[in-house]
Amino acid sequence: MANYGEELAYWYFRLNGFFPITNFVVHQAENNRYNRDCDLVAVRPPYVEERVGGQAHDWHDSIVRAFDLNGRVRHCAVICEVKTGAVGAIFNRQAVSAAVERTGLVHVNTRERAQEDIFQYGSCDNGIYVIKKILVSHDNVQGNHIHIPLREALNFIRGRMATYRNEKNAARHFFNSSLIQFLADQAFD
């Protein structure tokens, strides 16, 4: 992963039942000569569950509210920008459109409308799936996205490691992230 913020965002979404892809590369299109990337694209199936740390009471309140996880069963997806410094341009139209396609949730016949809704309003919800733009950063900026402060993501991860300290510490070497290994180890102290 490119930086600590992207790694924190990855694990924040992963521990909330999402299957994330980091640094999703958007190749140049015929009308745009630049490649782009989306920091993180994540999909969450409606019946996701894990024995350790993957039950309904384990999900972060911000995610439960944003996706109405208590009230509805549906597929969820995140198009995420992560910023550890100043927040400049975010949610490029080309990257958002490509990320919507990559989720596999939107039929080709309705894709253009969904992409426009997400770009303009920050989300698309048709009752079967919901896709939202989320910014994970220290500071928020005006826009049609949900903001998760980096500190909040870190505190959620620390809390999960503490809640399941025995299980997470025993399995820490299986995580492919030295950051998560460290946080699991610290929770055990």
Side-chain angles (χ1 to χ4, degrees):
M1 282 170 238
N3 64 52
Y4 74 92
E6 290 177 11
E7 191 165 357
L8 285 173
Y10 173 92
W11 285 102
Y12 174 79
F13 288 108
R14 170 63 186 81
L15 294 174
N16 273 292
F18 287 84
F19 294 94
I21 299 171
T22 56
N23 294 317
F24 174 62
V25 175
V26 179
H27 297 287
Q28 57 193 15
E30 61 260 357
N31 61 347
N32 190 335
R33 57 180 214 209
Y34 300 106
N35 291 319
R36 306 202 181 284
D37 81 322
C38 186
D39 292 331
L40 189 139
V41 177
V43 177
R44 185 182 196 277
Y47 304 106
V48 68
E49 187 175 300
E50 274 186 86
R51 186 180 62 78
V52 175
Q55 303 297 312
H57 64 274
D58 290 314
W59 314 132
H60 191 242
D61 291 341
S62 294
I63 295 297
V64 171
R65 279 191 309 276
F67 291 95
D68 192 17
L69 295 181
N70 288 329
R72 295 159 87 183
V73 176
R74 57 198 172 159
H75 297 275
C76 303
V78 169
I79 300 168
C80 181
E81 292 282 349
V82 181
K83 302 296 179 195
T84 57
V87 179
I90 54 175
F91 299 111
N92 168 275
R93 183 179 290 272
Q94 181 185 0
V96 168
S97 294
V100 170
E101 289 176 16
R102 184 65 172 109
T103 66
L105 297 178
V106 184
H107 189 276
V108 68
N109 294 341
T110 59
R111 192 173 292 151
E112 194 172 300
R113 172 62 191 253
Q115 291 165 329
E116 190 58 33
D117 284 351
I118 294 164
F119 193 76
Q120 269 194 336
Y121 308 113
S123 69
C124 176
D125 184 346
N126 75 350
I128 298 169
Y129 63 80
V130 61
I131 303 172
K132 298 204 177 245
K133 293 188 312 190
I134 297 181
L135 171 65
V136 177
S137 66
H138 291 294
D139 301 317
N140 194 11
V141 294
Q142 287 291 101
N144 57 2
H145 57 267
I146 294 168
H147 178 242
I148 305 286
L150 272 167
R151 177 72 55 196
E152 188 176 317
L154 175 59
N155 288 339
F156 170 78
I157 295 166
R158 281 183 171 149
R160 178 65 66 80
M161 294 299 137
T163 299
Y164 297 99
R165 71 176 37 94
N166 292 332
E167 296 90 341
K168 297 297 185 183
N169 188 57
R172 73 184 180 280
H173 297 295
F174 291 100
F175 292 108
N176 66 349
S177 161
S178 56
L179 177 63
I180 286 298
Q181 291 175 11
F182 174 74
L183 292 173
D185 185 62
Q186 291 298 300
F188 198 71
D189 286 343

